[in-house]
């Protein structure tokens, strides 16, 4: 359906108002407009309202199918990806995942092991239509000396296909070693990465957060936190991060992931936290599939009572940038997944109610994470922009989100890519004890 030519026009395509710029067309109540998309030399040369009476003879009529920009996945862990066959989660709990992943890292995470699994993950993400991805990188000593060079090599190998960002990952207690953390921050800066930690309600949390912000300011780094991935109502590190950003006068980008406990807290606590998050300019990403898997899992095999996601509707109403992302893939934190952001959005729509109305929620997997990651031109369709988009079979939200759309067409620089997914058998050699 996509011509193998430098220039062509797709006629009668449906695009969404929230994911386009500068398009003069009549958008319906679901946010869609029928347009013609012209492509020339890898760029979108024009997006115009579709007029059937003026259809060009050489245009390809896509019959009202949806076209979306390529996805932006702002929170993943491709260094952990696909270790499930050799190190599954023994009980499906968060602690079970933490212990299993930690043991596998110590025993198996060589440069070769990492490179093969990371490349496998990126090939899957690329085939599904992702054009930019941020991965957290376990950076507990001495793993940072192995993983960051692999990341840099992978980023160069994938340049032009997936814009790859890296964020270091360590527990907040690791910041207490000032000299080591300073060296890590320098290493992250040298790799043009993002400074990241996991926050817990430790007694010296405020002091440690000050050290994190100080290093970010010193090295000109953005920040990415894992926070409050628990149902414990006493877990309020999201608020502590917002307070630290304010009193440190931090001007960089701050993304905070998970924030699960917020949904369990009293209303007054929630309102105070959200007001501070908005004032500090933080962005929040929810990981609906992973948190649905881990949170409220009960040892007595009773049914979980809550969804594990944070309060994205309340955040968005306050102007807080919000996103959803893949998180873990076939590792102890989440046994499933394939870095398919359509699956993430489909699940988020059902779990978080991204509908009635859909409004601009599609930005949560494209335009919003692109802004958080400082990626100009990603996550939107616009004249003059790169011709990076996905043509689906679905013609409405209910059609698009009811099937896997495994036959979607991914277009990069104006050309349909080979969407062959990597075979799991490729990793068999890494699973042998």
């Amino acid at each position: 359906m996509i011509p193998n030519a430098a220039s062509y026009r797709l006629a009668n395509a449906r695009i969404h108002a929230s994911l386009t710029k500068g398009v003069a067309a009549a958008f319906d109540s679901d946010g869609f407009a029928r347009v013609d998309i012209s492509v020339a030399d890898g760029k979108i040369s024009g997006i115009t309202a579709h007029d059937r009476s003026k259809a060009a003879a050489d245009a390809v009529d896509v019959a009202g199918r949806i076209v979306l920009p390529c996805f932006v996945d702002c929170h993943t862990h491709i260094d952990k990806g696909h270790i499930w066959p050799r190190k599954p989660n023994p009980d499906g709990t968060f602690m079970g995942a933490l212990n299993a992943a930690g043991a596998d890292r110590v025993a198996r995470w060589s440069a070769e092991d990492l490179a093969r699994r990371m490349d496998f993950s990126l090939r899957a993400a690329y085939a599904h239509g992702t054009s930019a991805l941020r991965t957290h990188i376990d950076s507990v000593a001495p793993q940072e000396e192995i993983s960051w060079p692999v990341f840099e090599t992978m980023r160069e190998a994938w340049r032009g296909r997936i814009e790859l960002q890296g964020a270091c990952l360590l527990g907040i207690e690791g910041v207490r070693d000032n000299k080591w953390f300073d060296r890590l921050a320098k290493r992250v800066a040298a790799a043009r990465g993002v400074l990241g930690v996991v926050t817990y309600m430790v007694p010296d949390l405020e002091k440690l957060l000050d050290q994190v912000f100080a290093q970010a300011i010193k090295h000109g780094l953005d920040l990415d936190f894992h926070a409050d991935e628990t149902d414990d109502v006493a877990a309020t590190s999201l608020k502590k991060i917002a307070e630290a950003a304010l009193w440190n006068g931090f001007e960089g980008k701050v993304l905070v992931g998970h924030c699960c406990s917020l949904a369990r807290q009293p209303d007054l606590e929630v309102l105070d936290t959200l007001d501070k998050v908005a004032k500090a300019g933080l962005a929040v990403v929810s990981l609906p599939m992973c948190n649905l898997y881990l949170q409220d899992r009960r040892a007595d095999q009773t049914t979980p009572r809550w969804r594990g996601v944070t309060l994205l509707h309340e955040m968005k109403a306050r102007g807080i940038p919000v996103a959803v992302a893949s998180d873990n893939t076939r590792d102890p934190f989440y046994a499933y997944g394939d870095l398919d952001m359509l699956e993430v959005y489909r699940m988020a729509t059902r779990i978080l109610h991204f509908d009635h109305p859909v409004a601009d929620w599609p930005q949560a997997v494209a335009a919003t994470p692109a802004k958080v990651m400082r990626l100009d031109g990603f996550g939107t369709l616009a004249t003059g922009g790169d011709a990076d988009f996905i043509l689906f079979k679905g013609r409405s939200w209910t059609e698009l989100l009811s099937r896997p759309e495994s036959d979607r067409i991914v277009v990069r620089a104006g050309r349909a890519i080979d969407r062959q997914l990597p075979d799991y058998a490729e990793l068999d050699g890494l699973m042998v004890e």
Side-chain angles (χ1 to χ4, degrees), residues 149-162 164 191-192:
V150 173
F151 164 78
E152 290 172 306
T153 299
M154 203 62 57
R155 181 177 59 194
E156 292 306 310
W158 277 86
R159 189 172 299 281
R161 291 177 291 169
I162 291 181
L164 188 59
R192 305 188 307 279

Side-chain angles (χ1 to χ4, degrees), residues 127-128 340 342 392 403-409 419 421:
H128 290 309
D340 180 358
L342 179 64
F392 296 97
R403 290 180 175 171
E405 290 274 353
S406 56
D407 53 355
R408 73 193 75 166
I409 299 172
R419 292 197 56 247
L421 287 166

Side-chain angles (χ1 to χ4, degrees), residues 1 9 25 47 56 61 80 109 151 195 206 210 261 265 279 314 326 329 354 373 375 417:
M1 182 172 288
R9 178 182 295 184
I47 304 176
D61 190 339
K80 292 184 178 72
W109 289 19
F151 164 78
L195 195 62
E206 292 180 355
D210 278 346
S261 64
Q265 292 166 2
K279 185 176 181 181
E314 292 83 349
S326 293
T329 305
F354 284 179
M373 293 170 65
L375 298 175
I417 68 168

Side-chain angles (χ1 to χ4, degrees), residues 399-420:
E399 289 185 2
L400 179 66
L401 301 179
S402 294
R403 290 180 175 171
E405 290 274 353
S406 56
D407 53 355
R408 73 193 75 166
I409 299 172
V410 176
V411 176
R412 302 300 305 275
R415 305 276 184 166
I417 68 168
D418 179 1
R419 292 197 56 247
Q420 182 69 39

